[in-house]
Amino acid sequence: MAILDIVIHPDARLRKISAPITLITDEFKKFLKDFTETMYERDGVGLAAPQVGVLKRVVVIDINAGDETKEKNPIVYINPEIISAEGYVEFEEGCLSVPKIYEKVTRHEKVVVKAFDINMKEFLIETDGMLAIALQHEIDHLNGKLFIDYISKLKYQRITKKMEKYKKDLNLSEN
Ligand code: NI
């Protein structure tokens, strides 16, 4: 098992459209293990493959992550797609690719998502609450979109500057 490096904003890889997955190889299954472990290790409730530099349409979500009283329940969504959505809700979001930044974002309250599991079996999930928010946030990543794209341009620029400095400091401390 390996912990993967998280790609931090601003980075061109976070802005690309990820490619659909057509074949589940052993190598891909191994990747999914590392990918899921990385989400837990970094204290995320969700992670999208582009966040570890892999431009493929897969996300993992466990809304119980971080709650020690609850059992781990990671769910992998391959080629996830929102097929219907209704209502609106405001929620304070964060993202492992934009560390330590939390901003209120308006999302759909309820979504129906179609995806494939690790055996490429199609499934549908109809949900609201935290999982609906996480699904929308992670699926956005597959389309090159970040939660800070929904806030004011001024705040976006301020956060981007902060992240540039954060990355620079990180590099300095590594050298
Ligand atoms: Ni994110």
Side-chain angles (χ1 to χ4, degrees):
M1 209 89 85
I3 302 302
L4 309 170
D5 285 339
I6 302 281
V7 176
I8 306 291
H9 167 77
D11 189 297
R13 288 169 291 176
L14 294 174
R15 295 309 191 176
K16 297 269 192 326
I17 307 281
S18 289
I21 289 158
T22 52
L23 191 69
I24 309 293
T25 60
D26 286 346
E27 192 191 4
F28 185 69
K29 284 184 183 167
K30 187 183 170 293
F31 163 76
L32 286 180
K33 279 188 185 149
D34 293 342
F35 180 59
T36 302
E37 202 49 41
T38 301
M39 174 186 75
Y40 288 121
E41 184 68 23
R42 301 286 178 235
D43 297 322
V45 295
L47 193 62
Q51 293 184 273
V52 293
V54 173
L55 298 179
K56 289 184 179 166
R57 301 188 81 82
V58 59
V59 310
V60 62
I61 297 172
D62 182 355
I63 56 165
N64 292 347
D67 185 341
E68 275 151 32
T69 65
K70 288 181 179 159
E71 234 172 272
K72 278 184 182 176
N73 183 30
I75 297 174
V76 170
Y77 302 81
I78 293 170
N79 300 337
E81 208 181 313
I82 294 168
I83 57 171
S84 73
E86 62 176 75
Y88 292 96
V89 65
E90 213 182 38
F91 198 87
E92 196 176 63
E93 296 184 23
C95 180
L96 295 178
S97 292
V98 194
K100 294 178 188 132
I101 302 291
Y102 301 93
E103 293 288 344
K104 274 188 179 162
V105 171
T106 301
R107 299 275 188 188
H108 287 294
E109 190 178 6
K110 275 188 186 171
V111 290
V112 178
V113 169
K114 181 183 99 173
F116 295 84
D117 68 13
I118 188 72
N119 301 309
M120 279 311 242
K121 193 169 173 285
E122 190 181 302
F123 65 98
L124 276 184
I125 179 163
E126 185 177 352
T127 188
D128 57 8
M130 179 98 155
L131 182 56
I133 303 292
L135 280 163
Q136 292 170 82
H137 177 117
E138 300 310 335
I139 292 170
D140 264 359
H141 276 298
L142 305 181
N143 296 318
K145 201 155 181 170
L146 299 175
F147 80 107
I148 50 174
D149 296 352
Y150 295 96
I151 61 177
S152 79
K153 188 123 196 170
L154 192 71
K155 267 191 184 171
Y156 176 91
Q157 286 166 345
R158 213 156 50 205
I159 290 166
T160 301
K161 272 207 185 107
K162 213 182 240 183
M163 290 298 116
E164 279 165 346
K165 187 179 180 299
Y166 171 84
K167 288 206 282 186
K168 210 173 137 193
D169 293 348
L170 218 62
N171 284 337
L172 285 177
S173 65
E174 276 170 8
N175 291 339

